[in-house]
Amino acid sequence: MYSLFVKYYEEYLSNQGLSEKSIEVYIVDVLQFCLCPQVVDMMEGRCRSHEALQGFYRVLSVEYQPKSLQRKMVSVKNFLRYLFESGEIEEDSYRNFKFKVPQSKILPKFIPKSDLRAIFQFLSDDLAKSDSRELYRKKIRQGSVIEFLYLTGVRVEELCLLTPEDVLADEGVVLINGKGGRQRIVPVDIANTNFLSLYHNEFLKLSAAAKRYFVNNWGNALSTQSVRSLVRDVSQRAGVEINVTPHMFRHTLATNLLENEVDLRVVQEVLGHSTVKTTEIYTHVAISHVKKELQRKHPYKFDVKS
């Protein structure tokens, strides 16, 4: 019964310009909702849509972290709106259902500056040791991917979907196609980078053929998994002990920009957050880092207390 509705909804989402990854996540949320007993009653008119949503919320609030809970509830409310506008359900009481999501206490993980320096130093030293053209090209690509992640704060999916037309080297900007079809402009002076400038000259023909900016030696677009593997391999070889992921460069950029007193709205624009509230969590990370540094290095500890 529900499989047809979900199939039509998936087609509807595809027409909204969402990425395949986003659609996949939203459909999983909807399928999970369809397993709730109240959904059968709702479709057969024995209960209202807000009651079905309430039953789903009760289950989620026990099992899921705040961020996942928020996303799943929004996903399902959008699905119910689709059903109502398509005439599959006759009332829209789901609109009036309000839910509270507890504030997450988990702060974003960032890369300490010493580890960040170690990664980029390793990349430079490793490139200098290249003894073949194939190895040289591989190391250029490794360096350019990591450099781009930190310069722009892009999500790994956004990096993999980047096209040569999105990289406006002469203008010094990159067009990033983000969540929900939103596009943002991020300044990147490629000519003055250590690795991207080399990559741009070396791989541009392959990129044009693949219609993706970041490609491997065979001209195939990089996958999200290959980027994650690349970051993990480089960070481990650089001697970094923490588990570094591509998304941590995004967190690190945001935290370091705020530590350098860059305006919160500017950071919001760079990261592509729809609201400044999402960006504000990085202020807590920056403050937390300051607290730790003061606890370790405040002169009171050495000049007075001792």
Side-chain angles (χ1 to χ4, degrees):
M1 176 181 180
Y2 305 119
S3 59
L4 196 58
F5 295 146
V6 175
K7 181 177 182 296
Y8 289 153
Y9 184 57
E10 186 173 1
E11 293 174 358
Y12 167 79
L13 292 177
S14 297
N15 293 331
Q16 302 305 304
L18 300 178
S19 69
E20 290 183 8
K21 181 67 175 177
S22 295
I23 293 172
E24 180 183 339
V25 171
Y26 296 151
I27 292 301
V28 168
D29 295 340
V30 168
L31 289 172
Q32 187 179 8
F33 173 65
C34 290
L35 294 175
C36 289
Q38 293 92 337
V39 176
V40 177
D41 293 336
M42 178 190 72
M43 297 302 293
E44 295 180 357
R46 292 194 298 270
C47 82
R48 294 168 66 81
S49 57
H50 79 275
E51 294 173 310
L53 197 57
Q54 189 174 42
F56 187 54
Y57 174 76
R58 280 198 295 266
V59 173
L60 293 184
S61 59
V62 174
E63 299 181 6
Y64 289 91
Q65 293 292 327
K67 189 174 181 180
S68 297
L69 174 60
Q70 172 82 22
R71 190 204 69 238
K72 287 178 178 292
M73 291 301 295
V74 171
S75 295
V76 170
K77 287 192 83 171
N78 287 336
F79 177 59
L80 289 171
R81 183 182 64 187
Y82 168 79
L83 291 178
F84 174 71
E85 292 177 352
S86 302
E88 301 299 340
I89 58 176
E90 297 180 354
E91 50 78 34
D92 61 348
S93 62
Y94 66 88
R95 295 179 187 270
N96 300 321
F97 179 73
K98 308 294 182 184
F99 59 92
K100 290 185 178 180
V101 177
Q103 184 68 36
S104 176
K105 295 182 180 179
I106 301 175
L107 296 177
K109 295 180 180 179
F110 67 97
I111 306 168
K113 290 180 181 178
S114 58
D115 287 340
L116 195 63
R117 284 192 291 268
I119 289 171
F120 281 107
Q121 186 62 55
F122 167 79
L123 287 168
S124 296
D125 294 344
D126 202 39
L127 180 62
K129 297 175 184 175
S130 302
D131 55 7
S132 69
R133 178 170 172 76
E134 183 179 352
L135 197 57
Y136 175 74
R137 285 162 61 86
K138 176 184 177 181
K139 292 177 180 180
I140 285 176
R141 183 175 58 254
Q142 288 178 334
S144 63
V145 166
I146 290 178
E147 193 171 50
F148 192 82
L149 285 169
Y150 184 58
L151 279 173
T152 63
V154 293
R155 303 172 179 93
V156 65
E157 294 84 1
E158 295 169 344
L159 180 144
C160 292
L161 291 174
L162 198 71
T163 69
E165 291 76 20
D166 294 329
V167 181
L168 307 178
D170 293 339
E171 287 83 355
V173 297
V174 175
L175 306 180
I176 306 296
N177 295 292
K179 287 183 175 180
R182 293 189 299 270
Q183 190 177 73
R184 64 187 186 275
I185 299 174
V186 179
V188 179
D189 185 4
I190 287 181
N192 289 315
T193 57
N194 292 330
F195 297 96
L196 278 167
S197 56
L198 299 174
Y199 178 89
H200 194 76
N201 294 328
E202 187 75 26
F203 283 87
L204 200 56
K205 288 184 179 179
L206 282 177
S207 297
K211 297 182 180 179
R212 288 289 183 268
Y213 187 70
F214 286 104
V215 295
N216 59 25
N217 279 352
W218 298 275
N220 299 319
L222 292 185
S223 66
T224 56
Q225 186 55 47
S226 63
V227 174
R228 292 187 180 96
S229 297
L230 182 157
V231 168
R232 182 173 59 249
D233 176 62
V234 167
S235 59
Q236 288 176 349
R237 291 170 63 206
V240 175
E241 295 183 359
I242 62 172
N243 180 34
V244 178
T245 67
H247 209 69
M248 287 173 70
F249 286 96
R250 178 176 173 85
H251 296 326
T252 304
L253 173 64
T255 303
N256 291 347
L257 287 175
L258 290 171
E259 284 181 350
N260 291 340
E261 300 182 351
V262 174
D263 186 87
L264 191 64
R265 296 284 180 181
V266 173
V267 180
Q268 177 193 358
E269 288 295 323
V270 170
L271 297 184
H273 289 154
S274 57
T275 69
V276 77
K277 285 187 176 180
T278 308
T279 316
E280 283 176 346
I281 191 171
Y282 294 104
T283 64
H284 299 302
V285 177
I287 292 169
S288 176
H289 176 66
V290 169
K291 284 181 178 178
K292 287 181 180 178
E293 286 297 291
L294 286 178
Q295 286 172 354
R296 290 196 310 120
K297 300 178 180 178
H298 197 289
Y300 174 81
K301 181 177 180 180
F302 306 102
D303 300 339
V304 179
K305 195 174 180 181
S306 59

